[in-house]
Amino acid sequence: LVQVHGQGGVKFQNWAKTYGSSPELYFQPTSVEEIREILDMARQRDKRVKVVGGGHSPSDIACTDDFMIQMGKMNRVLKVDKEKQQVTVEGGIFLSDLNIELSKHGLALANLGAVSEVAAAGVIGTGTHNTGIQHGILPTQVVALTLLTASGEILECSESINADIFQAARLHLGCLGVVLTVTFQCVPQFHLHEVTFPSTLTEVLDHLEDHLKRSQYFRFLWFPHSENVSVIYQDPTNKAGPTGLHPASSSASWLWDYAVGYYLLEFLLWISTFVPSFVCWINRFFFWLLFSSRVENIAISYKIFNYECRFKQHVQDWAIPIEKTKEALLELKAALENNPKMVAHYPVEVRFARGDEIWLSPCFQRDSCYMNIIMYRPYGKNVPHLNYWLTYEGIMKKHGGRPHWAKAHSCTRKDFEKMYPAFPKFCSIREKLDPTGMFLNAYLEKVFY
């Protein structure tokens, strides 16, 4: 029998420090046997269990007051299959480490989110995405996984074995069991050429099709309270860029963008908490300062995909059918214009993803546009954002939107039953794999009850 020891008195907080909990016991297992023991102990004591990776989700999806399992010590690369270009990893490996490992084998993930201090099992569990209409959300890169269920059984899942569980577990919300291993489909390592240039909202929305065709990983940033847009094209290239330089123009611009820009923005946003109308000016000023000229950069793919989320923040991110992009964004713009009291920080980030067959994927059976809105918390201070949040959610719901699972949203089971044709299927699998609700928490109860 393996002795497992849980720590008491650990305070868990998510990255943005917007949610936290105090688990009764906190575990960092190093083996499957240890996890089994923890689940046995939870069963005997009638405790719930939450598995957490990087703790990056801007919601309470990972919080619990019972047992918390942090997977950071189960972070090995188990197998690299050069021929199939696939890699099998333990669920706790951070993508930042996986990127470097893959690079040694001349491989890469075809798409990554903005942040890589996140665990493989968590990334798929919440449906992390990036952009690119030929690319699905990150879970679409998963070809197999193994799941340890509440009863201690290990299930191998893929398109051919346990196929139903596989389509549920590729976006599992942490409620089906403990994801022990994940097998990703990779691609040969590649460099990306990134071009950022200014445009207007009207231009981008009127020529959306062209932009989507022109660049493989196209996204744009809209600066609320203005027409300003920063368009970002990222495309594979054979040219290797200057090594080690990030946005490689000069050290002066680095200092300006990162240091001065950061502190100035935080200070101005703090002032704007007293004078909200100031936000319109801030958005325009920073567009002019940092986004009004064309910038090019070449680097290895993961260095371009990842960028600094510099601020603690509140975010919402919903996926709507791609054909609704223009209408929804213009409605959001109009809502801000008609409510001078409602302010919106920059940027509204607009990204695109291919439809898929994963049951709880926001892109289930439809190509989608993700519209990410943000409110920063300067010096940790909360900026009133409720009106903006509700206005945005109203527009997203009206256009058939589905919220990003990792972000805060106000949806309940009734909403999800309407949004997701496969929701009942997911529920029946969850009930079969976890009949006592060992892996539920407050966030998930809103989803399933």
Side-chain angles (χ1 to χ4, degrees), residues 121-138:
V123 162
I124 67 169
T126 54
T128 301
H129 68 96
N130 182 22
T131 192
I133 199 54
Q134 302 142 351
H135 296 274
I137 62 173
L138 269 58

Side-chain angles (χ1 to χ4, degrees), residues 4 20 56 86-87 121 146 149 159 185 227 253 256 277 286 335 341 352-353 356 374 414 421 438-439:
V4 288
H56 220 280
Q86 290 175 354
V87 62
T146 57
T149 64
E159 299 275 3
Q185 181 60 53
E227 260 287 306
S253 87
W256 187 230
S277 58
F286 275 87
K341 281 209 168 71
F352 303 91
D356 61 50
I374 192 162
K414 275 200 196 76
M438 180 190 281
F439 294 105

Side-chain angles (χ1 to χ4, degrees), residues 188-437:
Q189 185 176 337
F190 60 106
H191 280 70
L192 278 176
H193 178 203
E194 177 178 75
V195 185
T196 305
F197 58 94
S199 185
T200 64
L201 190 59
T202 311
E203 186 282 324
V204 172
L205 293 178
D206 287 349
H207 302 104
L208 206 52
E209 284 297 311
D210 299 344
H211 286 291
L212 285 163
K213 282 195 194 87
R214 213 171 294 155
S215 171
Q216 196 178 134
Y217 303 96
F218 155 67
R219 76 172 80 215
F220 66 91
L221 312 176
W222 170 55
F223 290 67
H225 311 291
S226 78
E227 260 287 306
N228 296 331
V229 163
S230 175
V231 175
I232 301 160
Y233 283 178
Q234 295 171 339
D235 289 285
T237 175
N238 302 325
K239 297 196 287 281
T243 47
L245 282 180
H246 197 60
S249 33
S250 73
S251 53
S253 87
W254 179 87
L255 180 89
W256 187 230
D257 284 14
Y258 283 73
V260 183
Y262 177 93
Y263 291 112
L264 183 61
L265 178 58
E266 186 163 31
F267 177 65
L268 293 176
L269 287 171
W270 181 75
I271 290 180
S272 78
T273 61
F274 305 101
V275 193
S277 58
F278 198 45
V279 170
C280 312
W281 179 86
I282 294 173
N283 289 2
R284 293 188 172 130
F285 173 69
F286 275 87
F287 177 78
W288 169 80
L289 191 67
L290 300 177
F291 298 92
S292 59
S293 57
R294 181 184 168 95
V295 178
E296 294 195 46
N297 185 26
I298 293 178
I300 190 116
S301 58
Y302 64 85
K303 289 191 175 159
I304 297 273
F305 285 139
N306 292 166
Y307 54 85
E308 257 325 296
C309 293
R310 302 187 188 87
F311 282 109
K312 306 304 184 199
Q313 52 193 238
H314 291 290
V315 286
Q316 275 227 66
D317 192 14
W318 285 51
I320 54 176
I322 198 163
E323 59 277 6
K324 304 283 193 184
T325 306
K326 179 175 178 175
E327 207 180 327
L329 247 184
L330 292 177
E331 272 181 47
L332 187 61
K333 184 171 189 256
L336 289 169
E337 282 163 10
N338 300 331
N339 290 312
K341 281 209 168 71
M342 191 161 65
V343 297
H345 291 168
Y346 83 80
V348 171
E349 185 180 16
V350 184
R351 289 174 287 181
F352 303 91
R354 196 187 66 219
D356 61 50
E357 291 300 319
I358 299 169
W359 292 353
L360 290 191
S361 163
C363 302
F364 182 72
Q365 294 184 343
R366 66 184 199 203
D367 290 352
S368 302
C369 162
Y370 276 95
M371 213 168 280
N372 186 75
I373 64 167
I374 192 162
M375 288 299 268
Y376 300 114
R377 301 172 57 223
Y379 311 120
K381 178 176 178 178
N382 271 325
V383 179
H385 58 274
L386 196 62
N387 278 349
Y388 180 30
W389 253 221
L390 293 173
T391 303
Y392 164 87
E393 280 199 340
I395 295 170
M396 294 293 111
K397 273 186 180 164
K398 174 181 154 188
H399 292 294
R402 298 168 177 155
H404 187 320
W405 289 106
K407 319 249 166 123
H409 56 77
S410 62
C411 301
T412 59
R413 176 167 180 145
K414 275 200 196 76
D415 296 305
F416 295 126
E417 284 173 342
K418 280 195 209 89
M419 291 170 183
Y420 288 102
F423 194 76
K425 278 199 218 166
F426 187 95
C427 291
S428 73
I429 282 199
R430 188 196 71 74
E431 284 153 24
K432 202 159 61 211
L433 296 181
D434 184 17
T436 64

Side-chain angles (χ1 to χ4, degrees), residues 5 37 136 170 173 315 323 423:
H5 295 287
E37 287 287 308
R170 285 209 281 177
L173 302 183
V315 286
E323 59 277 6
F423 194 76

